[in-house]
Amino acid sequence: MSVWHLLLFVSCVPGFVISAVVTLDSIKIYNSHEWLKTSKPIVYFYCKRENKTHLPDVKEVNVSYAFKGEESWQPLTEFTSKKCKRCGFYEEDKLKSDDVFDEWEFCPSDFVDSDGKYRRIKDKEFDATFLCPQCVPLAADSNSASGSYNRGSKGMHVAVVILISALVSTVLILGIVVVFKHWQKKKREQEQARFLKLFEDGDDIEDELGLGTVI
């Protein structure tokens, strides 16, 4: 059994929490928010309710930085469940609040590639690749659960459509029966009225001819 399959099996065990470490594989920033373009940007990664992780090597814009995952400031964060985190890249600002490169919901399910990599690009801000091999089984399990839910929802939708169709057909048939019975009733009433009219017309003719019963 491979390590990946072992992790997938373990992640499916109820109550078991797997530790998935996230490191920064590479990054390239396209913009510095400092007014003085001569100053070096101070870039850091931060997830809500966690410590800031400064990127001391990232000092220039439009320069690609690659990392081994062994740097002293690594890892960036760690997932202990399938729950997402609110994370982002920021730039320190000494005069006002820190500038935001981007902030997003960072999830284990983002790591869908078999190599455990996830790439995030923010237009005119940065291009970063994260590495988390342990996140792959979590993402696979999450996608499997999502697929099962979608299949269940689709099956339920089909069942509802069939039920509605059956109800509509039943109502339509009952409507046809009611209309037919009403038509039969009206037809009988018309025939009875025609018969009575003929009978009355016959009496009138007898009266005119003096053929009525003489006492």
Side-chain angles (χ1 to χ4, degrees):
M1 179 183 292
S2 66
V3 176
W4 188 91
H5 287 91
L6 180 61
L7 290 172
L8 178 60
F9 171 76
V10 171
S11 66
C12 295
V13 177
F16 187 87
V17 178
I18 188 171
S19 177
V21 174
V22 180
T23 58
L24 183 62
D25 188 64
S26 64
I27 189 172
K28 181 178 182 179
I29 59 173
Y30 300 112
N31 180 35
S32 174
H33 302 90
E34 291 291 337
W35 287 10
L36 297 175
K37 298 303 179 182
T38 55
S39 60
K40 303 294 183 180
I42 302 176
V43 182
Y44 66 90
F45 178 86
Y46 172 72
C47 291
K48 192 174 181 180
R49 290 190 291 272
E50 294 184 5
N51 295 326
K52 296 179 181 179
T53 301
H54 286 86
L55 311 180
D57 301 318
V58 181
K59 294 295 184 182
E60 303 289 342
V61 298
N62 296 316
V63 174
S64 296
Y65 296 90
F67 307 103
K68 298 179 180 180
E70 302 172 352
E71 291 77 13
S72 59
W73 46 269
Q74 298 264 33
L76 294 182
T77 187
E78 182 178 351
F79 290 111
T80 56
S81 69
K82 300 174 185 177
K83 190 175 182 180
C84 302
K85 298 181 178 184
R86 190 68 182 175
C87 304
F89 282 110
Y90 306 86
E91 182 180 352
E92 286 190 357
D93 195 311
K94 298 179 181 179
L95 300 179
K96 54 186 180 67
S97 59
D98 292 350
D99 299 301
V100 181
F101 285 102
D102 188 24
E103 190 177 75
W104 71 96
E105 289 292 316
F106 198 23
C107 310
S109 58
D110 293 332
F111 297 86
V112 294
D113 292 341
S114 59
D115 58 0
K117 290 185 178 182
Y118 163 61
R119 185 180 182 186
R120 185 170 185 85
I121 301 175
K122 179 68 173 181
D123 188 37
K124 298 180 181 179
E125 294 291 347
F126 71 88
D127 180 349
T129 301
F130 303 89
L131 181 63
C132 181
Q134 297 92 345
C135 291
V136 176
L138 291 176
D141 186 47
S142 177
N143 292 335
S144 176
S146 177
S148 299
Y149 174 78
N150 291 334
R151 287 192 295 271
S153 299
K154 185 176 180 180
M156 183 177 295
H157 177 71
V158 172
V160 170
V161 171
I162 293 175
L163 179 60
I164 292 175
S165 300
L167 289 175
V168 171
S169 300
T170 302
V171 171
L172 182 61
I173 292 172
L174 290 175
I176 293 174
V177 171
V178 170
V179 171
F180 179 72
K181 287 185 175 296
H182 180 72
W183 176 79
Q184 282 186 323
K185 182 179 179 182
K186 293 292 290 183
K187 186 177 181 181
R188 284 197 300 268
E189 290 176 351
Q190 290 175 355
E191 290 177 349
Q192 290 175 357
R194 189 180 299 111
F195 176 77
L196 291 174
K197 189 174 186 304
L198 290 174
F199 185 77
E200 291 174 355
D201 290 344
D203 289 343
D204 293 340
I205 293 173
E206 288 179 355
D207 292 340
E208 290 177 0
L209 297 176
L211 299 177
T213 303
V214 178
I215 300 177

